[in-house]
């Protein structure tokens, strides 16, 4: 389910490992190449050059330290070892990686990495990865792979601890379809459109997370949402960390390169949580600029990169700055502020991407929470996680199906209930767009870079009201063909469902760790809180439990950069 980097990589692996002996459906509410993954810009992490000083342990340590010691270390150790193979496979399948003068794969520095290990294709890495995977998968189309584009999954069907299939609405015709399968992989991406000011595409609405949660599958660490430092004001669109990797710097109103003060060693390439907090601190202390709609900002200066290198290595960034801010970044600095960017939490899976207690179900990519990224993801570690876990889950799903002869059927009741739920959406009186706007407003203000008890309590109160109102929503468009109104409404329902889980988790976690910073609990508290949040659905609201973090060889220490 899903055709981003994780979904496509899973399908390629399933086709390869099964020798095309199984039927594989790639289902997506978008056209394949419209998936959010095409936006990935700066690079994909992998340890490629041990002879130059990089190592698996260094990549693992950077990831774990970056995660503020919430990542499961056994999973991270496995992940970094599987990463190089993925980068090399993409090279074999035709991805035009940037190269050094001697023809080897080039790598650039990225925030929180102690070695330049971001493999990249200019500043359009995700686009080229998607194109390469799609192209590779098309070789199997018609033989064992079928694409179902513009098919919207509304329900994940799990019965008696077994994955059964998906309830799906064909967006072109509004026909309701049931996809039964022996194995399923959730690769539906994150929940970033919970926020109004965000780097995410409009389509990233947490549908898969909501479907899993409502099917009784817990969500893990969902309170950890990453804010990327350089969202371009006023749209929030991302300017890659690769800009700072190439030499760009952040400056306040006085022209000072303020990151020198907050992270003396890593400076502008400190991890995202630290950089985002430093920027907001500068703004709060009066050293920022006044922006439109309260979007106060600091500046990102491309100057130190130089004109020629900016043109050669960051062409998409020049285009974005021109189109969305009317500025050529080679001539003047551009306005930026932290923008909601990544979902560290997700569907609770084990270190192989398996959903515990549900046979035949996996989750990969941003939809899943292994946890590799813990409380704060390092840049370039997501696309590689999509590749590594796409491959891992694709292979396991094939082996499971090939050794399993159970027939597959579902209870009729579950199907009828879903059909009724969707048909009733036309009957209420609440405007779903108004609800989404109110949701964005409260999330952007109260569940942002700095959080506190009072703000979170307010947010929870409002979201509970929205939850009640969203139950009485009205879809005004009655068209059957491409009824966008219906799908936007289904997405809004999902976002409201997830907002409650995010806020409840954030309220409960009385410490500051990674991207979750509580002004009223400013310290990390390993004694009480070095544990994963597990949120289970109940009709009254999420029920929280906690499970331990796996530590192998890196004991938690203070993060200094
Ligand atoms: C602007 C930007 C730049 C980034 N740059 C980098 C980078 O340089 N390096 C890096 O490592 N990471 C980067 N990231 C993060 C990275 O791009 C994402 O985390 C990653 O691509 C997610 O891939 P995915 O396959 O998990 O999900 P997605 O690409 O989001 O795909 C989700 C898929 O699920 C489908 N889907 C969702 N809901 C439904 C539904 N209800 N029914 C049917 N289908 C559904 C969608 O159609 C889509 O195909 C960046 C993120 C942003 C926003």
């Amino acid at each position: 389910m899903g055709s981003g980097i994780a979904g496509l990589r899973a399908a390629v692996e399933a086709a390869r490992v099964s020798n095309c002996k199984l039927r594989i459906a790639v289902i997506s509410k978008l056209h394949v190449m419209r998936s959010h993954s095409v936006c990935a810009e700066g690079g994909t992490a992998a340890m490629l050059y041990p002879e130059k000083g990089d190592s698996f342990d260094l990549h693992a340590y950077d990831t774990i330290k970056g995660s503020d010691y919430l990542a499961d270390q056994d999973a991270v150790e496995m992940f970094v070892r599987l990463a190089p193979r993925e980068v090399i496979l993409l090279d074999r399948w035709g991805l035009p990686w940037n190269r050094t003068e001697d023809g080897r794969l080039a790598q650039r520095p990225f925030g929180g990495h102690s070695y330049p290990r971001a493999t990249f294709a200019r500043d359009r890495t995700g686009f080229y990865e998607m194109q390469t995977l799609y192209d590779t998968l098309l070789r199997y189309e018609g033989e064992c792979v079928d694409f179902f584009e513009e098919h919207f999954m509304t329900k994940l069907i799990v019965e008696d601890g077994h994955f059964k299939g998906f309830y799906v609405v064909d967006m072109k015709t509004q026909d309701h379809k049931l996809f039964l399968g022996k194995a399923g992989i959730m690769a539906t991406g994150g929940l970033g459109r919970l926020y109004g000011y965000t780097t995410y595409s409009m389509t990233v609405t947490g549908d898969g997370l909501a479907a899993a949660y409502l099917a009784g599958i817990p969500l893990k660490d969902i309170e950890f949402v990453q804010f990327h430092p350089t969202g371009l004001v006023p749209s929030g669109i991302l300017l890659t960390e690769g800009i700072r990797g190439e030499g760009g710097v952040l400056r306040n109103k006085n022209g000072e390169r303020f990151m020198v003060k907050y992270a003396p060693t890593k400076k502008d390439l400190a991890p995202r949580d630290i950089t985002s907090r430093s920027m907001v601190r500068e703004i709060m202390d009066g050293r920022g600029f006044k922006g439109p709609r309260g979007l106060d900002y600091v500046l990102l200066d491309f100057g130190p990169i130089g004109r020629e290198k900016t043109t050669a290595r960051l062409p998409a960034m020049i285009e974005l700055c021109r189109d969305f801010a009317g500025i050529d970044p080679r001539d003047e600095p551009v306005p930026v502020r932290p923008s909601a960017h990544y979902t560290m939490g997700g569907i609770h899976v084990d270190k192989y991407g398996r959903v515990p207690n549900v046979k035949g179900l996996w989750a990969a990519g941003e939809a899943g929470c292994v946890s590799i990224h813990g409380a704060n993801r390092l840049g370039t570690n997501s696309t590689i996680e999509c590749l590594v876990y796409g491959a891992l889950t694709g292979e396991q799903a094939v082996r499971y199906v090939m050794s399993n002869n159970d027939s597959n059927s579902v209870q009729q009741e579950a199907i009828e209930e879903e059909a009724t739920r969707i048909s009733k959406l036309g009957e209420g009186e609440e405007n779903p767009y108004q609800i989404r706007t109110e949701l964005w407003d409260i999330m952007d203000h109260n569940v942002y870079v700095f959080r506190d008890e009072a703000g979170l309590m307010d947010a929870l109160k409002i979201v509970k009201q929205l939850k009640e109102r969203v139950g009485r929503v009205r879809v005004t468009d009655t068209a059957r063909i491409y009824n966008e109104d219906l799908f936007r409404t289904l997405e809004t329902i999902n976002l409201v469902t997830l907002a409650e889980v995010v806020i409840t988790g954030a309220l409960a976690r009385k410490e500051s760790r990674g991207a979750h910073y509580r002004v009223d609990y400013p310290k990390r508290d390993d004694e009480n809180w070095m544990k994963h949040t597990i949120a289970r659905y109940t009709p009254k609201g999420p029920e929280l439990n906690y499970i331990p973090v796996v530590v192998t060889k890196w004991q938690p220490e203070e993060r200094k950069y």
Side-chain angles (χ1 to χ4, degrees), residues 424-449:
K424 280 207 167 8
L425 290 175
E427 293 174 4
E429 71 287 349
E430 285 285 350
N431 177 337
Y433 304 98
Q434 178 61 28
I435 291 178
R436 204 187 274 207
T437 307
E438 288 177 37
L439 178 70
W440 284 353
D441 195 39
I442 195 71
M443 295 302 291
D444 279 347
H445 285 103
N446 292 30
V447 200
Y448 188 49
V449 171

Side-chain angles (χ1 to χ4, degrees), residues 1-7 27-30 35-37 39-44 110 125 151-153 187-190 199-200 203-204 207-208 238 240 341-342 364-367 377 379-384 386:
M1 180 58 62
S3 63
I5 294 174
I27 308 169
S28 178
K29 69 177 178 181
L30 302 165
S35 296
H36 173 68
S37 286
C39 303
E41 295 170 357
T44 292
F110 240 75
T125 305
H151 276 63
F152 193 108
M153 181 269 305
T188 45
T199 63
Y200 278 99
T203 53
V204 185
D207 305 343
L238 179 86
T240 174
H341 178 67
Y342 186 79
E366 203 171 333
R377 171 177 75 89
T380 69
N381 261 354
S382 171
T383 44
I384 192 64
C386 291

Side-chain angles (χ1 to χ4, degrees), residues 267-288:
K267 303 183 184 79
D268 299 84
L269 283 178
R272 292 172 178 175
D273 56 337
I274 293 174
T275 310
S276 288
R277 278 197 291 279
S278 309
M279 291 166 72
V280 176
R281 178 67 62 208
E282 287 293 300
I283 293 170
M284 281 163 50
D285 290 350
R287 290 187 292 278

Side-chain angles (χ1 to χ4, degrees), residues 369-420:
C369 179
V370 171
S371 139
I372 299 291
H373 313 298
N376 175 61
R377 171 177 75 89
L378 293 189
T380 69
N381 261 354
S382 171
T383 44
I384 192 64
E385 188 202 11
C386 291
L387 293 165
V388 165
Y389 276 87
L392 265 177
T393 56
E395 178 183 352
Q396 289 171 84
V398 164
R399 302 216 184 283
Y400 176 81
V401 172
M402 288 185 146
S403 61
N404 177 333
N405 291 320
D406 297 350
S407 65
N408 208 352
S409 62
V410 288
Q411 289 167 12
Q412 201 53 33
E413 265 169 43
I415 303 165
E416 283 163 11
E417 252 175 43
E418 186 60 0
T420 311

